Amino acid sequence: MKEFIKSSLIEFAVIVLVLSLSDGIEINKWRNFIIFGEILVVVMIFRMCSIFIDKFQNRFYIIDVLVEFIASLSVVLFFGFIFGWYEIDRIGYMVVVGVIVYGICYILGIAGNKKSADYINSQLEKRRKNRENIDKNSADR
């Protein structure tokens, strides 16, 4: 399911970028393409920060989550202000949007990790049973 969601989101992003690019070329309306490009830059910077943050694991999981959340919110607020996504007096709105997006992504990540863990555990259980059958058959001979 995780791969399905990831593939769907990638395909959606490509379609949106191509449609906004075609609007820019056909009718000289580049604003959507620029906004999507800005979002892509922010996501790539956030991903680079995540790779760096993941190298430092804390003993307390909640601290790891808070550090990741604060880093992601900081990147969005900083670049959002630079790109003019919000006025400074509407920063609370951007924080709320950041919390909602982070929460949804966090829940999707947990669900994907649970599915992966369940799949790996089922494969290990099958392997253990196969190994037991092999050992039992060799002992019978």
Side-chain angles (χ1 to χ4, degrees):
M1 186 65 163
K2 184 177 179 180
E3 288 302 316
F4 172 78
I5 292 171
K6 195 185 296 185
S7 298
S8 298
L9 291 174
I10 290 170
E11 290 169 7
F12 173 77
V14 169
I15 291 168
V16 167
L17 282 172
V18 169
L19 288 175
S20 63
L21 179 63
S22 68
D23 278 350
I25 293 170
E26 281 184 38
I27 56 178
N28 204 25
K29 290 194 177 183
W30 293 97
R31 185 63 189 144
N32 287 340
F33 184 73
I34 291 169
I35 289 172
F36 297 141
E38 292 169 351
I39 292 170
L40 179 62
V41 167
V42 170
V43 168
M44 290 173 60
I45 290 170
F46 171 69
R47 283 281 134 219
M48 286 187 284
C49 288
S50 291
I51 290 170
F52 180 73
I53 290 170
D54 286 346
K55 291 183 180 189
F56 302 101
Q57 294 290 318
N58 194 310
R59 188 170 40 154
F60 301 104
Y61 179 71
I62 190 71
I63 292 175
D64 289 338
V65 172
L66 285 174
V67 166
E68 182 181 53
F69 171 72
I70 290 169
S72 65
L73 189 60
S74 299
V75 167
V76 169
L77 290 177
F78 178 74
F79 285 98
F81 183 72
I82 288 174
F83 293 142
W85 293 347
Y86 65 94
E87 300 294 325
I88 196 70
D89 60 334
R90 306 265 303 161
I91 197 166
Y93 172 76
M94 285 301 290
V95 170
V96 169
V97 169
V99 168
I100 291 170
V101 170
Y102 185 84
I104 291 169
C105 292
Y106 184 78
I107 290 168
L108 287 174
I110 287 175
N113 289 342
K114 172 127 178 55
K115 284 236 183 229
S116 295
D118 290 345
Y119 175 75
I120 290 169
N121 287 336
S122 70
Q123 293 299 313
L124 289 172
E125 183 64 24
K126 286 179 187 176
R127 185 178 178 131
R128 184 186 63 78
K129 286 180 181 178
N130 283 343
R131 188 68 186 156
E132 286 175 357
N133 287 339
I134 291 170
D135 289 344
K136 185 178 178 181
N137 287 340
S138 1
D140 290 341
R141 290 184 186 172

